[in-house]
Amino acid sequence: MTHKSLEICYDFPFFLQEELDEIFQAHEKKSFQKGDFILEEGKMANEYYILDSGLARSFVNDFNGNEVTTHFFVENEVIIEVSSMFQRIPTQENIVCITDCECWKLDYDTFQELFHKIPNLREWGRAWMSKELFDYKQRSVEMFTLSATRRYLNLLEQKSKVIQFAPLKQIASYLGVTDTSLSRIRKELVSHPKKI
């Protein structure tokens, strides 16, 4: 693993090189296999990860016990359950590897230490959190304002690896449609690509 994913993730104009070096050195390499849980419901998040390679997802179990995918994590993204990590409460979400994953891990205590020591890390954190809030808001609005086909195409455009490696059922639950509807959307796109 190189530091490329760290460089992409911590791309913030105000960091000094020595600050980045210290932040990078605080991360530890960690490998997961397909099917491994990074975080399980009921446990507390004591670290976050930066995904160097692979694909992971977060999901919750609905009131009927069905898995509903809440997020897909692709390379160079932060794998985190923010509420659990920063409010120090057990999580309601599960985070699991769809493929083998190589990550950089930063534990909570080390993050807190760096956060108080490096003001630019605080600024980076605020910028990252703002972007995440915007993305989640955007996704919430799109669930009501865009057709299922358009939502599928957006996912294909933004995170093509999900379409490649995630099972149909997981993609369907993320898009808020049934497996059957998603199969139909895929068939229509193949047979009538010009219509979209």
Side-chain angles (χ1 to χ4, degrees):
M1 283 197 302
T2 64
H3 285 124
K4 186 170 175 263
S5 54
L6 294 178
E7 287 164 8
I8 291 168
C9 191
Y10 292 106
D11 181 23
F12 185 64
F14 305 113
F15 275 131
L16 304 173
Q17 190 55 52
E18 57 265 30
E19 292 173 337
L20 282 174
D21 291 343
E22 187 172 1
I23 292 164
F24 290 2
Q25 281 166 20
H27 287 71
E28 176 192 334
K29 290 178 185 177
K30 178 93 176 158
S31 299
F32 294 96
Q33 293 186 318
K34 178 181 178 177
D36 283 353
F37 278 80
I38 293 173
L39 182 64
E40 286 183 78
E41 181 182 359
K43 295 190 176 169
M44 186 136 52
N46 289 311
E47 60 273 312
Y48 69 79
Y49 299 86
I50 291 165
L51 189 55
D52 196 59
S53 66
L55 180 67
R57 75 173 178 122
S58 56
F59 70 91
V60 293
N61 294 295
D62 71 10
F63 51 87
N64 291 318
N66 301 308
E67 289 183 7
V68 179
T69 299
T70 52
H71 195 72
F72 287 106
F73 301 94
V74 295
E75 287 163 13
N76 310 319
E77 287 188 342
V78 179
I79 298 177
I80 190 170
E81 208 286 78
V82 174
S83 303
S84 178
M85 175 112 168
F86 296 117
Q87 294 179 3
R88 312 309 294 144
I89 56 171
T91 181
Q92 290 184 287
E93 286 188 277
N94 296 280
I95 302 176
V96 68
C97 297
I98 294 172
T99 65
D100 291 352
C101 292
E102 295 291 329
C103 302
W104 290 102
K105 172 182 143 183
L106 187 65
D107 68 64
Y108 175 79
D109 291 335
T110 308
F111 175 78
Q112 285 297 317
E113 198 181 299
L114 292 171
F115 190 76
H116 293 295
K117 183 180 176 185
I118 303 172
N120 282 329
L121 185 60
R122 291 200 289 275
E123 293 310 310
W124 169 84
R126 282 193 193 98
W128 180 85
M129 191 66 86
S130 297
K131 184 189 176 301
E132 288 297 298
L133 280 170
F134 172 81
D135 289 347
Y136 275 104
K137 177 71 175 175
Q138 193 73 13
R139 176 165 141 67
S140 300
V141 170
E142 286 176 0
M143 288 294 277
F144 298 104
T145 58
L146 298 182
S147 69
T149 302
R150 187 70 254 169
R151 295 198 304 273
Y152 175 80
L153 288 169
N154 284 353
L155 182 61
L156 178 62
E157 191 181 295
Q158 293 156 13
K159 297 187 177 188
S160 60
K161 206 166 193 177
V162 170
I163 309 299
Q164 218 178 329
F165 293 104
L168 182 85
K169 195 177 188 67
Q170 294 174 6
I171 299 170
S173 76
Y174 179 74
L175 295 172
V177 298
T178 63
D179 307 8
T180 315
S181 297
L182 183 54
S183 290
R184 192 172 60 245
I185 288 166
R186 283 175 145 177
K187 281 184 192 134
E188 282 171 11
L189 289 171
V190 170
S191 55
H192 305 291
K194 296 274 188 274
K195 273 186 157 184
I196 308 307

